[in-house]
Amino acid sequence: MSKSILLTRAKSANLILKEKLMPRGFDLVECSLIKHKLLPFDEKVFNSYSDIVITSNFAASNLPNSNGSKYVWVVGENSEKILKDKGYNIKFCAPDAITLEKELLKNNHIKAIYLSGNNITIEMPPNIKRVVFYNTEYKKSLSQQEIQRIKHGIDYILLYSENCAKTLLQILLENDLLKYLENTTIVAINFKVGRVVDDYF
């Protein structure tokens, strides 16, 4: 029997994962814990900065193409590749937002714009101007179909952010579903995300 994986990212990101994982024979279960909505983009503000800070894959995917005049401080190799392909120069690629914040603190002469979602876990240094680029909405409930599928058990759950981990835990507890996931393995993007659900899995 094939191993099942619960995909918890936004629909567009889950689609990319499905394309990569489907040929390997996994049973892929979609449960998007997050939705993104782009906000109106002020190109004048954007164009007044040569340095940009990006901490999310969604922001990287939705930035306009560059003519090579802009420098990016970014989290994640996947986002780095997206931005390189769009013509941005990579100044620093960090494994997580904390590492990026520390690097920006060392470079406090830099004036940069941080294009973020409305919910962030790490504040950037004061010399970085934060602009909310998109709104994030977290899942509030599960459909009956999702509940029934989870009751059959899941082998792996992929988690990419602390907020998504908290959201998942809340809706599982509300629906008394943890008892069906006793043998489930969490695959977390980092230790901080894993720690949110560590007591339960």
Side-chain angles (χ1 to χ4, degrees):
M1 192 174 159
S2 60
K3 296 282 186 184
S4 56
I5 301 178
L6 192 73
L7 305 177
T8 62
R9 300 189 93 172
K11 276 189 182 289
S12 56
N14 278 346
L15 187 62
I16 294 165
L17 275 169
K18 280 171 92 169
E19 286 172 2
K20 289 179 180 176
L21 294 172
M22 210 173 276
R24 296 172 185 262
F26 290 107
D27 172 20
L28 303 174
V29 182
E30 264 202 87
C31 183
S32 294
L33 296 176
I34 191 168
K35 265 190 214 168
H36 300 303
K37 185 186 176 186
L38 279 173
L39 296 174
F41 185 58
D42 189 340
E43 284 199 31
K44 281 184 186 172
V45 173
F46 179 71
N47 290 333
S48 62
Y49 288 85
S50 61
D51 286 61
I52 305 157
V53 175
I54 296 290
T55 58
S56 85
N57 196 261
F58 182 78
S61 299
N62 285 281
L63 267 188
N65 289 340
S66 172
N67 58 8
S69 64
K70 294 202 179 287
Y71 297 87
V72 183
W73 306 71
V74 63
V75 169
E77 290 177 8
N78 193 27
S79 293
E80 177 188 28
K81 184 184 181 312
I82 290 167
L83 293 165
K84 269 185 181 173
D85 291 346
K86 288 187 170 197
Y88 290 90
N89 300 301
I90 306 301
K91 225 167 199 184
F92 185 77
C93 179
D96 52 51
I98 294 171
T99 307
L100 184 62
E101 181 216 11
K102 286 177 182 171
E103 190 63 25
L104 288 165
L105 279 168
K106 285 188 221 165
N107 292 272
N108 59 8
H109 60 283
I110 296 285
K111 298 290 180 215
I113 186 170
Y114 173 26
L115 298 175
S116 77
N118 57 321
N119 290 311
I120 57 170
T121 50
I122 302 291
E123 291 283 348
M124 291 299 152
N127 54 306
I128 310 299
K129 178 182 171 63
R130 182 181 169 212
V131 171
V132 178
F133 186 49
Y134 60 92
N135 278 338
T136 301
E137 190 181 306
Y138 292 95
K139 195 173 182 73
K140 292 182 175 62
S141 61
L142 292 169
S143 68
Q144 278 307 307
Q145 189 180 352
E146 287 167 333
I147 289 169
Q148 289 310 311
R149 179 59 191 85
I150 289 169
K151 282 183 176 179
H152 283 98
I154 300 286
D155 293 301
Y156 300 100
I157 297 175
L158 310 185
L159 290 174
Y160 294 84
S161 77
E162 286 179 76
N163 286 335
C164 278
K166 288 172 186 171
T167 298
L168 176 70
L169 201 51
Q170 184 182 331
I171 58 179
L172 290 176
L173 287 167
E174 282 171 2
N175 291 281
D176 195 24
L177 291 171
L178 282 173
K179 61 191 174 191
Y180 300 101
L181 301 172
E182 287 175 353
N183 298 315
T184 300
T185 299
I186 297 289
V187 182
I189 197 165
N190 59 35
F191 173 74
K192 279 182 76 183
V193 172
R195 198 167 53 190
V196 174
V197 293
D198 204 28
D199 291 341
Y200 300 88
F201 291 90

